[in-house]
Amino acid sequence: MASFPSGINNGGLRRATGTTLAALWIAMAGAQGVSAQSLELTAYKQAVAEAISEDEGLAAFYRERGFAAIWTDPEDSAAAERRSALLEAIEGGQVHGLPVSRYDEDGLIARMRNVTSERARGELEILLSRTFLKYAHDIQSGILVPTRVDSGIKRKAPVRESRGLLEALVAGNPREVIRDLAPRTPEYARLMREKLTLEHLIAHGGWGEPVVSGKMEPGQSGPNVVALRDRLIAMDYLPASLSASYDEAMRAAVASFQEDHGLEADGIAGTSTLTEINVGPEDRLKSVVVAMERERWLNLPEGRGKRHVWVNLTDFHATIVDDGKVTFETRSVVGHQDADRRTPEFSDTMEFMVVNPSWYVPRSIVVNEYLPQLRRNPGAAGHLEITDSRGRQVNRSNGFSQYSAASFPFAMRQPPGPRNALGLVKFMFPNQYNIYLHDTPSKSLFDQTRRTYSHGCIRLGDPQDFAYALLARQTDDPVGLFQSRLRSGAESRINLEQPIPVHLVYRTAFTKAKGHVNYRQDMYGRDAKLWNALSAAGVALIAGQS
């Protein structure tokens, strides 16, 4: 590491000129309760004051310190440690998939070697603070602004205040403080390990040639089976073997691969399986880097909740997580790929469930799907009530042909019942997107591998068991409580005594405590957009060293 240069010119103090700088200095001094006349306005302080004038967090930090340096005091060994720790972190930023070029390490070192005046020292002081803050924000809460990547990403990155980050740096061991900025979750650590593994593989030729073949299944043999065997061995799904037959070992390896990629685990290498097997390590690496960025978006100061609901849209499953362990899991159906039906990504808090719910049909569905039917046939959609603004049922005999999507004045509601679109229970975390979890009468959809059928809400395969798991924390008889409300047939709300955070996420690469990393298809195309944005920001794929 380059050491900070000695021999800084500490003389030549000069007073600020010009009304703008003087006013700025007086304002800063006043905020400290100190008269401007009592402060010696050195060239260093003048440079610092000018550089921080438009950053309130940075300004507050330096005002409280009387503008004392944390990076550039040549007599302070702690400042040297901070510089060294920052440069080391920047050098290692690629491990985290960060855009290291934006921190301009070479430029920083050049500036540190060429400090020839107090003013230059002040400018360097703030440059180092800004570089630290840029690095800290990137690694801690994400490189990108989530909502700018895709309209379906409703998440706000948990960016920490500049002042607090700098205060922590000064108060602690700089290497430990910087190290602890990254998410401390097991998921992030395992993703980073997969990133390094893939980079090493790419540097050594990847997984070999793609498997060019049609469907293969147990009992077959020949060169195509050998190509599949070699690919599975390279991907660590099959021990080294010279067998040219699609034997039981290969069937088990294919089934394991299918399970890790969200496919039907039948052990037969069909078209969809071979498509996934032929995805190269470079594309898998992109998915991992994107997943690490998404993990940073959920690096919340308060955590995700000791108990929380986790719904990975791409995996078509919903889980309850207690103290970092999955304690309940069920299949889910999520929004269709059509742009207006995709399930958004966001976090909120589940507050209650409704047993025997009514379905209040969203306006978009009313005017886009049901109104065209009603214009042709007033008796259409007879399972739904049509109500006016006062909740009174509308007489269908008057017809609806006179209404357009803009002028249709009525609402539609499906009363509680076994054929209700929401099934027998819905789970509410009130939000502006009108998204919730619910039951469904369409149970056959859960037998599908790719379950993108809803208008955006999330349907659960085992909603009653999900309800029991939630209620078990507040009653000794969750089944009895739920079933008594269900048998009444009446719409009934059950509040959760302890509201539960809900996280709707989109992970095409995710890990488990043991086994291979799991990959899923980018069904909404969000990860492709996210990778393009990361690449534009300076993130690059770099093959590992041999």
Side-chain angles (χ1 to χ4, degrees), residues 221-243:
S221 61
N224 289 337
V225 173
V226 170
L228 176 60
R229 177 203 70 191
D230 292 345
R231 187 84 170 183
L232 290 170
I233 290 171
M235 299 176 82
D236 194 32
Y237 278 94
L238 188 67
S241 169
L242 297 176
S243 172

Side-chain angles (χ1 to χ4, degrees), residues 406-530:
S407 65
F408 189 70
F410 306 122
M412 301 183 78
R413 166 185 176 269
Q414 185 180 19
R419 302 305 301 168
N420 186 283
L422 305 184
L424 300 176
V425 60
K426 65 178 180 178
F427 305 89
M428 302 300 292
F429 39 106
N431 57 81
Q432 61 182 304
Y433 317 112
N434 198 27
I435 298 295
Y436 44 89
L437 312 183
H438 64 87
D439 184 17
T440 176
S442 304
K443 302 296 186 183
S444 62
L445 296 180
F446 295 103
D447 295 330
Q448 304 297 316
T449 301
R450 186 184 180 96
R451 297 187 286 275
T452 51
Y453 297 103
S454 82
H455 284 82
C457 285
I458 297 160
R459 307 172 189 174
L460 301 181
D462 301 297
Q464 294 192 33
D465 289 339
F466 185 77
Y468 304 155
L470 294 176
L471 294 173
R473 292 293 183 93
Q474 62 190 63
T475 176
D476 293 333
D477 185 13
V479 176
L481 171 62
F482 183 88
Q483 291 296 328
S484 66
R485 301 292 184 92
L486 185 63
R487 286 192 298 270
S488 74
E491 193 163 355
S492 176
R493 170 171 167 160
I494 304 178
N495 291 329
L496 297 180
E497 293 179 0
Q498 294 184 335
I500 301 173
V502 177
H503 305 290
L504 308 186
V505 303
Y506 187 97
R507 302 289 178 89
T508 61
F510 59 95
T511 74
K512 296 182 178 179
K514 295 181 180 180
H516 296 86
V517 172
N518 279 228
Y519 293 96
R520 297 294 184 269
Q521 293 183 359
D522 184 14
M523 60 190 188
Y524 295 158
R526 290 177 186 165
D527 271 16
K529 290 182 179 180
L530 211 164

Side-chain angles (χ1 to χ4, degrees), residues 118-138:
E118 281 293 279
R119 180 173 185 82
R121 184 168 74 89
E123 292 170 347
L124 176 62
E125 173 72 23
I126 301 307
L127 176 62
L128 285 163
S129 282
R130 290 189 188 281
T131 301
F132 165 72
L133 290 171
K134 188 182 298 181
Y135 174 89
H137 291 146
D138 286 352

Side-chain angles (χ1 to χ4, degrees), residues 365-377 380 403 405:
I365 299 177
V366 170
V367 298
N368 293 328
E369 298 186 23
Y370 290 123
L371 178 58
Q373 298 177 35
L374 292 169
R375 284 168 58 86
R376 294 190 300 268
N377 174 16
Y403 297 114

